[in-house]
Amino acid sequence: MTGRRETGGTETGGDVDMAAVGELLADRSRCRMLLALADGRALPASVLASEAGVAPSTASGHLARLTGRGLTEVVATGKYRYYRLAGPEVARLVEVLGRIAPARPVRSLREGTHAHALRMARRCYDHLAGRLGVAVTDALRDRAWIEGSDGTVDPTERPGHQLPGRLPEDGAYRLTDAGRDGLAGLGVRVPAGLSAVRCCVDWTEQRHHLAGPLAEGLLARFDADGWLRSTPGHRALRVTDDGVAGLAASLGVGWPPPAADLARVGGGVGSGGEGRPSPL
């Protein structure tokens, strides 16, 4: 993979400079800003300064560097300026880093509560992630609305050059005819001609959750029906009473998960399981 491009026979670039992006991500304040924007919101510099725990003047410098390298972009609304991720590829970069980055320790009940909420349900740019995202994906597969691997990691597997247990992402699922009809019945907009369905490996669950146009349509439907509510201050989502009823009736998803199921998969605050915080 190279960044070389030819225009009129003239080379305008060499191999990609990964270190340039790595240098930006080596700063925790900038990483916290990217995480705050990972749910697709556009936020003012003052909010991002608070998220990063730095002074407004320092945040402005960080945002200028992130924008200059194409990781964030500015949205001007009147006299106000907001920042957002530059696109879905940047959101995917944040997701991938989240899967390989070590977890920060949870040092307080507040941090543990925040980490638990993120694990249960969160907005990941334009799609649903966390335990709820995985549960919805499982429900679609159980109904044969999508076909593909269940996303379970096999730590003994080493396919080719991939890391042990690494799951395929792009095109890992296929939308079936029954799925197209069933989703249409739920009012989910499915792009014409869509067949391959992209997925992400959820960094808290280490299982697949849906991504791409189908997942975007599902999240839009959930939002429009009032099934989800944003949590003030971070990207965790709360399932409303209407959402609990709707998920059960339309997809057979019981929410919240049984306590025994939560305990089986992850531990408490500080254990690296249920209390696993944002990794960056």
Side-chain angles (χ1 to χ4, degrees):
M1 174 180 177
T2 68
R4 183 155 38 221
R5 185 174 66 238
E6 292 188 4
T7 304
T10 303
E11 287 189 357
T12 59
D15 205 353
V16 291
D17 185 4
M18 294 176 62
V21 177
E23 186 271 336
L24 287 177
L25 299 178
D27 184 276
R28 282 189 171 86
S29 295
R30 289 193 286 268
C31 287
R32 288 171 182 165
M33 291 177 177
L34 293 175
L35 280 171
L37 297 172
D39 61 358
R41 292 177 296 172
L43 298 174
S46 58
V47 171
L48 292 170
S50 177
E51 290 280 349
V54 297
S57 58
T58 303
S60 295
H62 286 317
L63 289 167
R65 297 190 65 182
L66 290 169
T67 302
R69 285 293 181 186
L71 296 185
T72 58
E73 61 186 14
V74 180
V75 180
T77 304
K79 64 179 181 179
Y80 299 104
R81 289 163 59 88
Y82 297 84
Y83 293 85
R84 66 186 180 192
L85 295 186
E89 289 303 312
V90 181
R92 291 184 67 185
L93 172 64
V94 174
E95 289 177 10
V96 171
L97 288 174
R99 297 204 304 271
I100 63 176
R104 288 187 289 113
V106 173
R107 295 190 173 93
S108 69
L109 178 61
R110 180 176 179 274
E111 289 183 355
T113 301
H114 183 176
H116 176 82
L118 280 175
R119 178 174 182 179
M120 293 294 283
R122 64 185 180 275
R123 193 180 300 272
C124 189
Y125 196 64
D126 58 2
H127 59 271
L128 185 63
R131 179 64 61 87
L132 182 57
V134 171
V136 169
T137 303
D138 287 345
L140 297 186
R141 192 180 56 254
D142 291 345
R143 281 166 168 67
W145 289 7
I146 58 174
E147 294 178 341
S149 164
D150 68 356
T152 301
V153 173
D154 180 359
T156 66
E157 185 180 358
R158 186 186 296 272
H161 65 280
Q162 295 181 343
L163 297 174
R166 185 179 185 275
L167 298 176
E169 294 192 26
D170 291 328
Y173 293 89
R174 185 183 69 83
L175 179 65
T176 65
D177 291 340
R180 187 177 296 277
D181 293 341
L183 290 165
L186 297 181
V188 177
R189 293 188 60 184
V190 180
L194 181 68
S195 176
V197 177
R198 192 171 71 81
C199 61
C200 295
V201 181
D202 196 281
W203 62 261
T204 53
E205 298 303 298
Q206 294 301 303
R207 296 276 310 285
H208 280 155
H209 66 241
L210 294 181
L214 178 58
E216 184 177 358
L218 274 167
L219 181 56
R221 183 73 263 166
F222 294 169
D223 283 336
D225 289 343
W227 291 7
L228 302 172
R229 289 286 181 270
S230 297
T231 301
H234 58 79
R235 57 199 176 107
L237 294 171
R238 180 178 63 84
V239 181
T240 65
D241 290 342
D242 286 344
V244 171
L247 287 166
S250 64
L251 295 173
V253 174
W255 196 261
D261 183 43
L262 293 176
R264 175 175 54 81
V265 176
V269 173
S271 69
E274 202 58 25
R276 178 186 165 106
S278 174
L280 297 177

